[in-house]
Amino acid sequence: QQQVRQSPQSLTVWEGETAILNCSYEDSTFDYFPWYRLFPGESPALLIAIRPVSNKKEDGRFTIFFNKREKKLSLHITDSQPGDSATYFCAATPNTGNYKYVFGAGTRLKVIA
Amino acid sequence: DAGVTQTPRHEVAEKGQTIILKCEPVSGHNDLFWYRQTKIQGLELLSYFRSKSLMEDGGAFKDRFKAEMLNSSFSTLKIQPTEPKDSAVYLCASSRDWGAEQYFGPGTRLTVL
């Protein structure tokens, strides 16, 4: 049973469009949500992260929108570039001393020029 | 600074064999994680060490998977006995502290025949 769910499983957008990657979770104790990006042949690397004290976190073309009530968040990539093609993982951890670090199954993004 | 190193990069094993994967975390990092990466499940946490102490042993992975950290700069993941369903990429990651950015190694691609 996935505690962190991501959708869609794969996504294809044209260059310049906004890609929207969705993530939802079940455990209300989760309070830190990092997104990791995995390029083919490389290792996952932290892209951007958010804590529930805010409902939006922006870093250049990447923005996380967070809805604590619905336990949902989304990663928006504006002006998508072919170089953004990768797998994006949403993760969640609690701040209760319960050492869970849960990743979603990932969304494979392809940006077509 | 050296990142996380993992050896071997590729491993092919026969069903029933014992294999040992190795990881060296980033120097000075207190936390070390072992993950299994598959297309269906994404990243699954196998083990988590804090300052060499095992904090999370992966629940469902307990019976055939054993991670150890004999010193702060070296960890192993033993799979015994291997099964074909264990075929996956095994990633090691380290971070300064809980909730800090995780730095991933290049992974070990395991194929069990």
Side-chain angles (χ1 to χ4, degrees):
Chain A
Q1 185 177 359
Q2 286 277 353
Q3 294 188 54
V4 174
R5 291 188 174 86
Q6 289 188 248
S7 63
Q9 190 174 28
S10 62
L11 175 66
T12 300
V13 299
W14 293 100
E15 183 177 2
E17 290 185 332
T18 296
I20 300 176
L21 290 65
N22 300 303
C23 180
S24 64
Y25 62 98
E26 297 177 0
D27 192 331
S28 57
T29 66
F30 287 155
D31 75 340
Y32 175 63
F33 302 89
W35 286 80
Y36 282 79
R37 181 173 60 185
L38 174 62
F39 290 113
E42 298 186 11
S43 304
L46 180 65
L47 176 64
I48 187 173
I50 192 169
R51 293 189 185 275
V53 292
S54 59
N55 56 19
K56 181 180 177 182
K57 178 73 176 291
E58 196 168 351
D59 184 357
R61 296 185 295 108
F62 301 90
T63 303
I64 299 175
F65 292 93
F66 183 73
N67 185 324
K68 186 174 182 178
R69 184 178 59 83
E70 295 187 8
K71 297 181 185 173
K72 291 181 178 178
L73 56 159
S74 59
L75 175 66
H76 291 225
I77 306 174
T78 58
D79 188 25
S80 295
Q81 303 296 310
D84 296 329
S85 298
T87 299
Y88 292 79
F89 292 99
C90 172
T93 75
N95 190 27
T96 61
N98 178 354
Y99 297 106
K100 289 197 293 185
Y101 208 110
V102 185
F103 281 80
T107 293
R108 286 187 295 281
L109 173 66
K110 184 175 181 180
V111 182
I112 300 173
Chain B
D1 286 340
V4 177
T5 59
Q6 289 186 248
T7 56
R9 294 296 305 276
H10 301 273
E11 178 79 59
V12 179
E14 297 282 343
K15 178 183 174 181
Q17 273 188 280
T18 295
I19 62 104
I20 297 176
L21 310 181
K22 304 178 182 72
C23 173
E24 295 178 27
V26 174
S27 178
H29 280 190
N30 294 315
D31 292 2
L32 185 139
F33 302 81
W34 281 100
Y35 293 95
R36 181 170 74 176
Q37 181 188 356
T38 61
K39 285 187 178 178
I40 296 175
Q41 296 292 332
L43 291 168
E44 299 172 281
L45 179 66
L46 301 174
S47 293
Y48 163 57
F49 292 88
R50 159 164 285 183
S51 301
K52 301 184 296 179
S53 296
L54 181 64
M55 309 301 292
E56 171 61 51
D57 63 3
F61 296 97
K62 271 175 157 174
D63 57 346
R64 296 183 299 109
F65 292 72
K66 183 175 183 182
E68 291 185 316
M69 195 162 187
L70 299 180
N71 60 59
S72 61
S73 59
F74 185 70
S75 176
T76 59
L77 175 66
K78 180 193 289 187
I79 307 176
Q80 177 184 36
T82 52
E83 297 182 5
K85 65 180 179 180
D86 299 332
S87 297
V89 174
Y90 290 82
L91 291 166
C92 177
S94 70
S95 66
R96 278 186 296 103
D97 203 348
W98 182 258
E101 177 177 358
Q102 291 189 26
Y103 293 82
F104 284 81
T108 295
R109 182 173 293 280
L110 172 65
T111 302
V112 182
L113 305 175

PDB file of all heavy atoms in Angstrom, chain A residues 98-101, chain B residues 45-49 53-59:
ATOM      1  N   ASN A  98       9.494   9.003  14.335  1.00  0.00           N
ATOM      2  CA  ASN A  98       9.227   7.760  13.616  1.00  0.00           C
ATOM      3  C   ASN A  98       9.987   7.847  12.309  1.00  0.00           C
ATOM      4  O   ASN A  98       9.685   8.661  11.463  1.00  0.00           O
ATOM      5  CB  ASN A  98       7.720   7.638  13.350  1.00  0.00           C
ATOM      6  CG  ASN A  98       7.389   6.382  12.551  1.00  0.00           C
ATOM      7  OD1 ASN A  98       8.266   5.666  12.100  1.00  0.00           O
ATOM      8  ND2 ASN A  98       6.112   6.150  12.372  1.00  0.00           N
ATOM      9  N   TYR A  99      10.989   7.007  12.157  1.00  0.00           N
ATOM     10  CA  TYR A  99      11.911   7.199  11.043  1.00  0.00           C
ATOM     11  C   TYR A  99      11.402   6.588   9.751  1.00  0.00           C
ATOM     12  O   TYR A  99      11.945   5.612   9.255  1.00  0.00           O
ATOM     13  CB  TYR A  99      13.287   6.658  11.417  1.00  0.00           C
ATOM     14  CG  TYR A  99      13.894   7.415  12.577  1.00  0.00           C
ATOM     15  CD1 TYR A  99      13.971   6.853  13.840  1.00  0.00           C
ATOM     16  CD2 TYR A  99      14.349   8.714  12.400  1.00  0.00           C
ATOM     17  CE1 TYR A  99      14.510   7.556  14.899  1.00  0.00           C
ATOM     18  CE2 TYR A  99      14.888   9.434  13.458  1.00  0.00           C
ATOM     19  CZ  TYR A  99      14.957   8.850  14.701  1.00  0.00           C
ATOM     20  OH  TYR A  99      15.494   9.548  15.743  1.00  0.00           O
ATOM     21  N   LYS A 100      10.338   7.145   9.257  1.00  0.00           N
ATOM     22  CA  LYS A 100       9.852   6.755   7.947  1.00  0.00           C
ATOM     23  C   LYS A 100      10.328   7.788   6.935  1.00  0.00           C
ATOM     24  O   LYS A 100      10.285   8.982   7.192  1.00  0.00           O
ATOM     25  CB  LYS A 100       8.324   6.707   7.917  1.00  0.00           C
ATOM     26  CG  LYS A 100       7.726   5.552   8.700  1.00  0.00           C
ATOM     27  CD  LYS A 100       6.282   5.298   8.333  1.00  0.00           C
ATOM     28  CE  LYS A 100       5.386   6.442   8.761  1.00  0.00           C
ATOM     29  NZ  LYS A 100       3.944   6.103   8.491  1.00  0.00           N
ATOM     30  N   TYR A 101      10.790   7.330   5.836  1.00  0.00           N
ATOM     31  CA  TYR A 101      11.144   8.220   4.730  1.00  0.00           C
ATOM     32  C   TYR A 101      10.551   7.553   3.511  1.00  0.00           C
ATOM     33  O   TYR A 101      11.095   6.593   2.998  1.00  0.00           O
ATOM     34  CB  TYR A 101      12.660   8.367   4.615  1.00  0.00           C
ATOM     35  CG  TYR A 101      13.111   9.684   4.025  1.00  0.00           C
ATOM     36  CD1 TYR A 101      13.745  10.636   4.811  1.00  0.00           C
ATOM     37  CD2 TYR A 101      12.905   9.976   2.676  1.00  0.00           C
ATOM     38  CE1 TYR A 101      14.166  11.849   4.287  1.00  0.00           C
ATOM     39  CE2 TYR A 101      13.310  11.181   2.149  1.00  0.00           C
ATOM     40  CZ  TYR A 101      13.947  12.122   2.955  1.00  0.00           C
ATOM     41  OH  TYR A 101      14.351  13.321   2.431  1.00  0.00           O
TER      42      TYR A 101
ATOM     43  N   LEU B  45      12.479   2.203   1.168  1.00  0.00           N
ATOM     44  CA  LEU B  45      13.508   2.275   2.206  1.00  0.00           C
ATOM     45  C   LEU B  45      13.758   0.882   2.777  1.00  0.00           C
ATOM     46  O   LEU B  45      12.833   0.203   3.226  1.00  0.00           O
ATOM     47  CB  LEU B  45      13.056   3.223   3.323  1.00  0.00           C
ATOM     48  CG  LEU B  45      14.020   3.393   4.487  1.00  0.00           C
ATOM     49  CD1 LEU B  45      15.299   4.073   4.030  1.00  0.00           C
ATOM     50  CD2 LEU B  45      13.367   4.186   5.611  1.00  0.00           C
ATOM     51  N   LEU B  46      15.012   0.468   2.780  1.00  0.00           N
ATOM     52  CA  LEU B  46      15.381  -0.834   3.333  1.00  0.00           C
ATOM     53  C   LEU B  46      15.917  -0.689   4.750  1.00  0.00           C
ATOM     54  O   LEU B  46      15.560  -1.461   5.641  1.00  0.00           O
ATOM     55  CB  LEU B  46      16.453  -1.496   2.453  1.00  0.00           C
ATOM     56  CG  LEU B  46      16.085  -1.745   0.993  1.00  0.00           C
ATOM     57  CD1 LEU B  46      17.287  -2.272   0.219  1.00  0.00           C
ATOM     58  CD2 LEU B  46      14.930  -2.717   0.897  1.00  0.00           C
ATOM     59  N   SER B  47      16.809   0.285   4.944  1.00  0.00           N
ATOM     60  CA  SER B  47      17.419   0.482   6.261  1.00  0.00           C
ATOM     61  C   SER B  47      17.803   1.931   6.442  1.00  0.00           C
ATOM     62  O   SER B  47      18.093   2.633   5.466  1.00  0.00           O
ATOM     63  CB  SER B  47      18.680  -0.382   6.424  1.00  0.00           C
ATOM     64  OG  SER B  47      18.371  -1.743   6.456  1.00  0.00           O
ATOM     65  N   TYR B  48      17.838   2.339   7.705  1.00  0.00           N
ATOM     66  CA  TYR B  48      18.252   3.705   8.036  1.00  0.00           C
ATOM     67  C   TYR B  48      19.124   3.645   9.289  1.00  0.00           C
ATOM     68  O   TYR B  48      18.743   3.060  10.291  1.00  0.00           O
ATOM     69  CB  TYR B  48      17.037   4.598   8.259  1.00  0.00           C
ATOM     70  CG  TYR B  48      17.343   5.883   8.993  1.00  0.00           C
ATOM     71  CD1 TYR B  48      18.286   6.783   8.497  1.00  0.00           C
ATOM     72  CD2 TYR B  48      16.689   6.201  10.172  1.00  0.00           C
ATOM     73  CE1 TYR B  48      18.566   7.964   9.168  1.00  0.00           C
ATOM     74  CE2 TYR B  48      16.966   7.372  10.854  1.00  0.00           C
ATOM     75  CZ  TYR B  48      17.899   8.247  10.352  1.00  0.00           C
ATOM     76  OH  TYR B  48      18.182   9.420  11.023  1.00  0.00           O
ATOM     77  N   PHE B  49      20.314   4.244   9.195  1.00  0.00           N
ATOM     78  CA  PHE B  49      21.246   4.328  10.321  1.00  0.00           C
ATOM     79  C   PHE B  49      21.425   5.786  10.712  1.00  0.00           C
ATOM     80  O   PHE B  49      21.572   6.658   9.860  1.00  0.00           O
ATOM     81  CB  PHE B  49      22.629   3.768   9.934  1.00  0.00           C
ATOM     82  CG  PHE B  49      22.651   2.293   9.697  1.00  0.00           C
ATOM     83  CD1 PHE B  49      22.376   1.785   8.439  1.00  0.00           C
ATOM     84  CD2 PHE B  49      22.956   1.408  10.717  1.00  0.00           C
ATOM     85  CE1 PHE B  49      22.399   0.413   8.201  1.00  0.00           C
ATOM     86  CE2 PHE B  49      22.981   0.044  10.484  1.00  0.00           C
ATOM     87  CZ  PHE B  49      22.700  -0.451   9.230  1.00  0.00           C
ATOM     88  N   SER B  53      23.865   3.664  14.338  1.00  0.00           N
ATOM     89  CA  SER B  53      22.831   2.853  14.993  1.00  0.00           C
ATOM     90  C   SER B  53      21.683   2.612  14.030  1.00  0.00           C
ATOM     91  O   SER B  53      21.189   3.545  13.394  1.00  0.00           O
ATOM     92  CB  SER B  53      22.306   3.562  16.245  1.00  0.00           C
ATOM     93  OG  SER B  53      23.327   3.702  17.201  1.00  0.00           O
ATOM     94  N   LEU B  54      21.235   1.372  13.954  1.00  0.00           N
ATOM     95  CA  LEU B  54      20.124   1.027  13.075  1.00  0.00           C
ATOM     96  C   LEU B  54      18.823   1.556  13.664  1.00  0.00           C
ATOM     97  O   LEU B  54      18.417   1.166  14.764  1.00  0.00           O
ATOM     98  CB  LEU B  54      20.047  -0.497  12.904  1.00  0.00           C
ATOM     99  CG  LEU B  54      18.937  -1.014  11.992  1.00  0.00           C
ATOM    100  CD1 LEU B  54      19.148  -0.528  10.563  1.00  0.00           C
ATOM    101  CD2 LEU B  54      18.873  -2.538  12.028  1.00  0.00           C
ATOM    102  N   MET B  55      18.174   2.455  12.941  1.00  0.00           N
ATOM    103  CA  MET B  55      16.934   3.062  13.418  1.00  0.00           C
ATOM    104  C   MET B  55      15.714   2.468  12.734  1.00  0.00           C
ATOM    105  O   MET B  55      14.614   2.527  13.252  1.00  0.00           O
ATOM    106  CB  MET B  55      16.960   4.576  13.158  1.00  0.00           C
ATOM    107  CG  MET B  55      18.202   5.284  13.651  1.00  0.00           C
ATOM    108  SD  MET B  55      18.447   5.088  15.425  1.00  0.00           S
ATOM    109  CE  MET B  55      17.077   6.022  16.068  1.00  0.00           C
ATOM    110  N   GLU B  56      15.896   1.962  11.521  1.00  0.00           N
ATOM    111  CA  GLU B  56      14.784   1.431  10.739  1.00  0.00           C
ATOM    112  C   GLU B  56      15.317   0.247   9.960  1.00  0.00           C
ATOM    113  O   GLU B  56      16.331   0.375   9.259  1.00  0.00           O
ATOM    114  CB  GLU B  56      14.263   2.504   9.781  1.00  0.00           C
ATOM    115  CG  GLU B  56      13.243   2.024   8.767  1.00  0.00           C
ATOM    116  CD  GLU B  56      11.993   1.468   9.404  1.00  0.00           C
ATOM    117  OE1 GLU B  56      11.408   2.151  10.262  1.00  0.00           O
ATOM    118  OE2 GLU B  56      11.590   0.352   9.043  1.00  0.00           O
ATOM    119  N   ASP B  57      14.645  -0.887  10.117  1.00  0.00           N
ATOM    120  CA  ASP B  57      15.179  -2.082   9.459  1.00  0.00           C
ATOM    121  C   ASP B  57      14.318  -2.556   8.310  1.00  0.00           C
ATOM    122  O   ASP B  57      14.432  -3.681   7.859  1.00  0.00           O
ATOM    123  CB  ASP B  57      15.368  -3.205  10.474  1.00  0.00           C
ATOM    124  CG  ASP B  57      14.038  -3.637  11.096  1.00  0.00           C
ATOM    125  OD1 ASP B  57      12.987  -3.110  10.692  1.00  0.00           O
ATOM    126  OD2 ASP B  57      14.070  -4.488  11.984  1.00  0.00           O
ATOM    127  N   GLY B  58      13.432  -1.701   7.849  1.00  0.00           N
ATOM    128  CA  GLY B  58      12.736  -1.986   6.598  1.00  0.00           C
ATOM    129  C   GLY B  58      11.561  -2.914   6.687  1.00  0.00           C
ATOM    130  O   GLY B  58      11.015  -3.305   5.676  1.00  0.00           O
ATOM    131  N   GLY B  59      11.123  -3.305   7.861  1.00  0.00           N
ATOM    132  CA  GLY B  59       9.909  -4.092   7.988  1.00  0.00           C
ATOM    133  C   GLY B  59       9.872  -5.336   7.129  1.00  0.00           C
ATOM    134  O   GLY B  59      10.425  -6.377   7.439  1.00  0.00           O
TER     135      GLY B  59
END
